[in-house]
Amino acid sequence: MTAVFTEATRQAMRRSLLSWYGQAGRTLPWRNEPNIYRVWISEIMLQQTQVKTVISYYERWLKAFPTVQNLAQADQQTVLKLWEGLGYYARARNLHYAAQQVVTEFGGQFPEDLEAILQLKGVGRTTAGGILSSARNLPLSILDGNVKRVLSRLMALDRPPAKALKELWQLSDQLLDIENPRDFNQALMDLGATLCKQKNPSCDICPWQSNCQAYQQGTPTDFPRKAPKKKIPTKKLVAAIAFNTQNKVFIQQRPVTGLLGGLWEFPNIEGELKPLLDELFPNAVYQQSLETVFHAYTHFKIELTPKIHTVKNSEGNHWVKISDLDQYPFSKAHLKIIEQLRKING
Ligand code: SF4
């Protein structure tokens, strides 16, 4: 079911949203920020992460890399270390790559038009709209997760948002206040994040209550419609925590592309540990198991059981003291193992 808003209704909706935003909008470090590089960083961090988590990462990042040139010159390990714990690590690798694109392809000047900015790795249409409306007040609409939820409810959309992107983009375009795109987009994001929440939306104080079909039907939380759930498989993994005679532990780096690319980890394998031990530490002696670690990624979950072994002959470079592990970027699951190792090692 498509909502049809007349231009007069759309104008009234813009006014009511902006008036609510004037009173209830959030104060955020990147808001009204004219530095387009900073706005870009915030937009990428916010793609899959909530504001309250992003703020401290954003501040630390800008201390380490105050300019796009600083980011372009950094080594990938430093970049990943600053991203550690934020998840979806391709975002960090893409930021790093795109900073190098800015330096090599755009003469060090962050691009300021839509076509150019879309050439940067990791920047799609909604991120480009977010950056250019926020930093330059350009009339470009957005369609992030929060906005999809608000618009789906306004329209009482009968399909999951992923199946109706064209209509959702159209509605976002139609509603956009081209006189004031910066505030309008920020207000729309705030509405989604603070009132039109997934659970328990605050419809009683929503400026768009009288325009919202889901509210009129009395069923806002029935929207957005969900795609049928796929069963998420669980992988049972075992990690070899190998200590050498100097009490150093073995770590390895994942390939730079793909899931958790470039991060460090303890060697691990699905199923039995023996083939991995035979390959890496044939004379390893089992000592003890640590608590199993659980973690959920987008398409699967893991149960990771760390098993401590001692090893007499240790070769290679990647034997590290427990106290030095924090110099390397690890995924959340392996950070949970490190926490346990620290407790054991005092
Ligand atoms: S009335 Fe409720 S469901 Fe509709 S947009 Fe407002 S908060 Fe969301």
Side-chain angles (χ1 to χ4, degrees), residues 110-121:
F110 203 94
E112 302 210 0
D113 67 86
L114 183 60
E115 217 171 288
I117 215 168
L118 283 170
Q119 290 174 35
L120 298 181
K121 197 154 189 201

Side-chain angles (χ1 to χ4, degrees), residues 62-337:
L62 291 177
K63 252 190 208 149
F65 312 126
T67 67
V68 71
Q69 284 79 9
N70 298 135
L71 176 56
Q73 286 158 10
D75 65 86
Q76 194 187 56
Q77 290 298 286
T78 313
V79 172
L80 289 172
K81 186 69 197 165
L82 277 161
W83 200 270
E84 188 183 75
L86 209 49
Y88 299 94
Y89 290 85
R91 293 183 293 170
R93 295 195 304 271
N94 289 346
L95 274 176
H96 190 212
Y97 184 89
Q100 290 164 350
Q101 281 182 288
V102 171
V103 170
T104 56
E105 295 168 30
F106 296 96
Q109 292 298 311
F110 203 94
E112 302 210 0
D113 67 86
L114 183 60
E115 217 171 288
I117 215 168
L118 283 170
Q119 290 174 35
L120 298 181
K121 197 154 189 201
V123 176
R125 183 173 166 190
T126 193
T127 305
I131 296 169
L132 292 173
S133 64
S134 178
R136 294 293 174 266
N137 208 20
L138 293 186
L140 294 165
S141 57
I142 53 169
L143 191 64
D144 69 1
N146 281 331
V147 176
K148 282 179 191 162
R149 184 169 60 255
V150 175
L151 301 187
S152 297
R153 287 173 173 172
L154 278 183
M155 302 162 88
L157 185 68
D158 60 2
R159 280 153 292 148
K163 302 260 182 227
L165 290 178
K166 198 170 153 211
E167 281 150 281
L168 290 167
W169 272 113
Q170 266 172 5
L171 184 57
S172 189
D173 276 345
Q174 287 169 4
L175 288 172
L176 180 68
D177 184 346
I178 56 169
E179 305 288 323
N180 201 353
R182 172 188 291 132
D183 284 353
F184 180 87
N185 281 344
Q186 298 293 319
L188 188 52
M189 285 192 275
D190 277 13
L191 183 78
T194 65
L195 295 190
C196 195
K197 291 169 291 192
Q198 187 74 34
K199 291 180 190 159
N200 302 321
S202 307
C203 302
D204 47 340
I205 51 167
C206 174
W208 281 356
Q209 189 197 82
S210 62
N211 310 102
C212 177
Q213 293 194 24
Y215 176 77
Q216 314 290 325
Q217 294 177 12
T219 55
T221 49
D222 283 358
F223 301 93
R225 297 285 197 225
K226 291 196 175 73
K229 261 203 176 158
K230 283 194 197 135
K231 200 169 166 3
I232 297 183
T234 299
K235 289 186 187 181
K236 294 193 181 214
L237 303 166
V238 196
I241 314 296
F243 280 95
N244 67 10
T245 45
Q246 284 128 44
N247 208 28
K248 289 182 177 174
V249 66
F250 184 86
I251 57 172
Q252 64 186 16
Q253 191 176 22
R254 293 178 64 86
V256 286
T257 52
L259 180 75
L260 309 172
L263 295 186
W264 291 78
E265 64 180 10
F266 301 101
N268 58 88
I269 186 169
E270 200 167 349
E272 294 298 313
L273 190 56
K274 190 168 180 314
L276 184 70
L277 291 176
D278 287 348
E279 186 192 330
L280 293 176
F281 316 112
N283 300 312
V285 179
Y286 172 75
Q287 300 296 332
Q288 70 176 101
S289 295
L290 299 178
E291 276 175 33
T292 297
V293 161
F294 301 88
H295 194 72
Y297 296 101
T298 314
H299 301 296
F300 63 94
K301 295 179 189 168
I302 60 164
E303 291 179 17
L304 175 62
T305 304
K307 295 192 180 226
I308 296 183
H309 289 72
T310 46
V311 177
K312 283 224 172 71
N313 304 322
S314 53
E315 288 167 10
N317 296 325
H318 302 310
W319 295 89
V320 180
K321 282 197 254 167
I322 298 288
S323 57
D324 289 340
L325 285 173
D326 59 7
Q327 292 169 19
Y328 298 80
F330 286 89
S331 69
K332 266 203 176 150
H334 288 258
L335 285 172
K336 287 180 197 166
I337 298 178

